[in-house]
Amino acid sequence: MAKVKSTTIFFCASCGNESSKWLGRCSGCGEWNTYKEAPAALPSKRKNSGGGRIVPREQRQAQSFRQIKPDAEKRVASGITELDRALGGGMVPGSLVLIGGAPGIGKSTLLLQLSARLVERGKSCLYVTGEESIAQIKLRGERLGLSPDKLFLLASGSLQEILAEAERLTPALIIVDSIQTMRDEGTESAPGNAGQMRECTAVFSELARSTRTAVFIIGHVTKEGAIAGPKVIEHMVDTVLYFEGEGEHQYRLLRAVKNRYGPTNEIGVFEMTSQGLAEVDSPSAIFLGEGERQTGTAAAAVIEGTRPLLVEVQALAAPASYNYPQRVCTGYEYNRFVLLTAIAEKRLGLKLRYQDLFLNLVGGLRVSETGLDLAAVMAIYSAVKDLAPPAGMALAGEVGLSGEIRSVARPEERVREASRMGFKQLALSAKNVAKLKGAKLGGIKLVALKDLGEAVRLFGS
Ligand code: TYD
Ligand code: MG
C-alpha cells in the first residue's frame, strides 16, 4: 500500500529543524518550546509554480570540464566600502546573499542605500517589499537624500509576481525585504514558516544563478513566534551576513558568518545617523573606548576576518556573592574565558575561587580568534591585583595550557594598526618578535614574551 504522507509538519521556529512529531525541546538547537505546526510543503504542485522555468535549457545539460569558460566572475563594488568588505570584496553577480538581524537594526536602510549607490553607477535595481508600502520606502529614501531614477519598488509578497517583474526589468540587483513575508502560490503554507521560506529561497537562488543577478534577501531574527528565523535558509544561500548592534550603541556590525566567495568573520562597521547608515573608517577608535586606561583593562591587537583591530578588554573581579563564583563573558567565547581563568589561577597563582569574574569587550565587538587570550589574562590579572596595565601597551598572543605565549597570525598587520592607533609598545610571543626582526615597524617597540610569568612582570610586580 502506498504510504500516505502526513500533511502537517512541525518545525523549530528558532533553527528550522523539522520533525513529524511535536517536540518540547528542539533536538537541533536545544531550545525549549519552539516547535510550531505547519502544513507540509507540497512539492508536486511546485513544478508549475515558476521555479523551474527560469533556467535556460542549455545550462541544465552537463558540460565537459574543458569546454566550460571560466566565469568572468567580476565582483561589482557596491559603493559602500564596509559592505564590500563584509562581502569579501564586493558583490558577486549571480550570488544569493542573506542579511539577517533583529527587527529595527537597519537592514532595510542599508539595502536601500546599497540600491541607490548602484543606481548612481548606472545599474538598475528592483526593491521588493512585503513589509512596507512603496510610499513608505520612498519617504525613507527621501529622508536619506536619495532620488534614484532606475530604482524600481514593488510591494508584493508573491513569488510569481516578483519573477514576472524580474523578467521584465532585468535588474542587476534584486532586494527581497523580507523572506518571511514571501509566499510561493504553489505551496500551501503561511508566509514565514520554514517550508515556505525554503521554497522561496530555492527559487531566488535559481533566479540569481540563471540570470546573473545579485539577490539580497533580508531575514528577521526572531526569538519566538510563528515565523521561522533566517537560520532555516542559511545553508541554501552563498553568503550570510548578520547585522548586529548593542541596544544603546549607534554602532552596527555587519559580520560574514558564511561566504562561498570570501573569508568569514569579516566585519563591516557602520554608525546609524539621522542620514541613515554611515561607514566608520577607523573602528579601532570605537573599540578602544575613551579616556585613561583603568585597572582591569588591556588593549588587544586582533584580526577579525582580514582586518586588524584594536579592542579594549575589560575585566572585573568582585567577591563572590554565592558559594559558586560567577563567570560572565561578553564578546569572547565563554569556554575559552573559563579556560583562561583556570590557566591564570594555576600558572599565576591568582586566587579566583571566591571571586566573581566578568569579561567584556568595548563597543559590542565579538572576537573569534585566540589572539585575544593574552589581553584577556592581563585584564583579569590587572583587575584581581588592582594594578594599572603598562601605559601605551597593546597585546597579541594565544595562551597555552602551561601558560606559554603562542604566536599569532599576521603580526605585522597588528603592529601597524597598533602603531596607527598611537600605541608605543606591542607585546607578542618571542617567536613572533623574532620573525619581525628587520621589518619596518613605524616606531613601535616590540616586547617578546615566553610565558605569562614574563607578562605579569610588565606590571612591575
Ligand atoms: P530599518 O532599516 O527599518 O530596520 P530593519 O529593516 O532592520 O527592521 O531601520 C529602522 C531603525 O533605524 C529605526 O529605529 C529608525 C532608524 N533610522 C535612523 O536612525 N536613521 C535613519 O536615517 C533611518 C532611515 C532609520
Ligand atoms: Mg525593514
Side-chain angles (χ1 to χ4, degrees), residues 59 69 121 159 173 225 268 293 319 336 342 365 393 409 439 450:
Q59 285 183 22
K69 287 187 215 85
R121 293 164 174 228
L159 197 57
L173 171 72
R293 201 127 297 147
R336 188 91 203 154
L365 185 67
M393 178 181 281
K450 280 209 175 60

Side-chain angles (χ1 to χ4, degrees), residues 7 39-52 159-160 184-189 196 199 203:
T7 52
L42 300 173
S44 56
K45 285 202 182 172
R46 223 206 95 200
K47 283 221 172 72
N48 47 18
S49 70
L159 197 57
Q160 282 67 24
D184 179 347
E185 314 281 7
T187 305
E188 291 169 6
S189 57
Q196 189 66 269
E199 286 291 310
V203 175

Side-chain angles (χ1 to χ4, degrees), residues 101-110 127 131-132 140 143-144 177 218 220 243 250 252 272-277:
I105 196 89
K107 302 179 293 299
S108 305
T109 308
L110 177 68
Y127 190 114
E131 308 222 327
E132 293 159 289
R140 174 187 292 157
R143 210 151 20 93
L144 297 174
D177 187 359
I218 289 178
H220 292 294
F243 216 13
Q250 289 306 301
R252 305 276 187 270
M272 185 56 103
T273 68
S274 56
Q275 268 84 49
L277 289 157

Side-chain angles (χ1 to χ4, degrees), residues 215-241:
V215 180
F216 279 64
I217 50 188
I218 289 178
H220 292 294
V221 171
T222 54
K223 193 76 192 120
E224 295 256 336
I227 53 174
K231 278 225 155 29
V232 178
I233 52 168
E234 271 185 6
H235 64 286
M236 305 174 70
V237 303
D238 298 310
T239 303
V240 179
L241 304 179

Side-chain angles (χ1 to χ4, degrees), residues 101-118:
I105 196 89
K107 302 179 293 299
S108 305
T109 308
L110 177 68
L111 293 188
L112 187 62
Q113 285 179 266
L114 163 67
S115 48
R117 289 285 176 92
L118 278 189

Side-chain angles (χ1 to χ4, degrees), residues 8 53 79 109 132 152 265 313 366 408 422 424 437 450:
T8 61
R53 80 188 142 89
T109 308
E132 293 159 289
F152 296 95
N265 287 325
V313 185
R366 273 194 298 118
V408 291
K424 300 279 173 282
K437 216 167 212 156
K450 280 209 175 60

